[in-house]
Amino acid sequence: PSLFRFSKHIIFISLLMPFRFLIKPLITNIFLPLTINSTWIILSSLGYSSKIYNNNIVFNNTGIKILEACSGSDQIIFCITLTIILMICFPLKSNTKKFIVLIFSLFAGLIENAIRLSILAIFMKDNTNNSNQLFNLFHNSYGSLIFPLISSISIMLIYFVIFKKEKFIKNQI
């Protein structure tokens, strides 16, 4: 009986994957320019002089090309999916708080991806053997998994702070 209680949620969650294929092109088109500009802002804030040419962030003699696959759309969809799962498992009462958490999950994915690309750009700027190995580790290997972990933890922390506050306020009334 308890499985049937969650059956509509299980069906909904299983539909998120096909839904991903529908919204990914839209998210990519919206977030690719935001990702490029956010990455450039982070690099500039850290004191790195760079320029944006099309989808490239260029230093004096090297740079990175930010492709559609680097737009962060998969990470943003992952963050939204995580938030939806949290909302199903630990429902919030306030629609305003639900909206705030969803917006935060969008920005968590964007910021995490911009930080990741900034780190990769710094590795490419240095252009040494070690920096190339670090680039490959954080771009193609297990090192790339640390960034979704960071955004997941930040989303869960924010969610549970809001959830606890809502529960605390409810218990006070």
Side-chain angles (χ1 to χ4, degrees):
S2 65
L3 179 63
F4 295 114
R5 191 176 85 193
F6 292 107
S7 62
K8 66 180 178 182
H9 300 302
I10 293 169
I11 291 169
F12 176 75
I13 290 171
S14 67
L15 293 175
L16 289 175
M17 189 61 161
F19 182 66
R20 172 187 171 267
F21 295 111
L22 295 173
I23 65 169
K24 185 176 178 180
L26 175 68
I27 290 176
T28 299
N29 289 335
I30 292 171
F31 280 92
L32 183 60
L34 290 172
T35 300
I36 293 167
N37 288 310
S38 299
T39 303
W40 179 81
I41 288 169
I42 291 170
L43 289 168
S44 296
S45 299
L46 294 173
Y48 290 94
S49 178
S50 61
K51 293 183 170 116
I52 298 174
Y53 294 108
N54 297 324
N55 290 2
N56 299 298
I57 296 181
V58 181
F59 300 103
N60 287 337
N61 58 353
T62 188
I64 61 167
K65 183 174 188 125
I66 301 176
L67 304 170
E68 287 183 3
C70 303
S71 69
S73 58
D74 284 325
Q75 181 60 30
I76 290 164
I77 292 168
F78 173 78
C79 290
I80 292 170
T81 304
L82 172 62
T83 303
I84 291 170
I85 291 169
L86 289 170
M87 286 181 179
I88 290 170
C89 294
F90 307 98
L92 295 171
K93 303 287 186 236
S94 167
N95 287 333
T96 304
K97 290 179 181 172
K98 290 176 187 176
F99 180 74
I100 289 169
V101 171
L102 279 171
I103 295 299
F104 177 79
S105 68
L106 280 171
F107 284 107
L110 174 68
I111 292 167
E112 172 269 324
N113 193 49
I115 291 170
R116 179 183 74 88
L117 290 170
S118 298
I119 291 169
L120 293 173
I122 292 168
F123 290 151
M124 289 309 297
K125 182 189 181 308
D126 290 344
N127 204 14
T128 64
N129 189 35
N130 285 341
S131 65
N132 288 334
Q133 289 176 346
L134 287 170
F135 178 89
N136 288 329
L137 174 70
F138 286 109
H139 187 261
N140 301 324
S141 186
Y142 296 115
S144 65
L145 298 176
I146 194 165
F147 300 103
L149 175 67
I150 291 168
S151 59
S152 298
I153 290 171
S154 67
I155 288 170
M156 288 188 284
L157 286 173
I158 293 296
Y159 191 89
F160 284 113
V161 165
I162 292 172
F163 181 76
K164 283 254 191 201
K165 281 185 180 180
E166 192 173 77
K167 198 169 186 169
F168 177 75
I169 291 169
K170 178 184 166 199
N171 290 339
Q172 293 296 318
I173 297 176

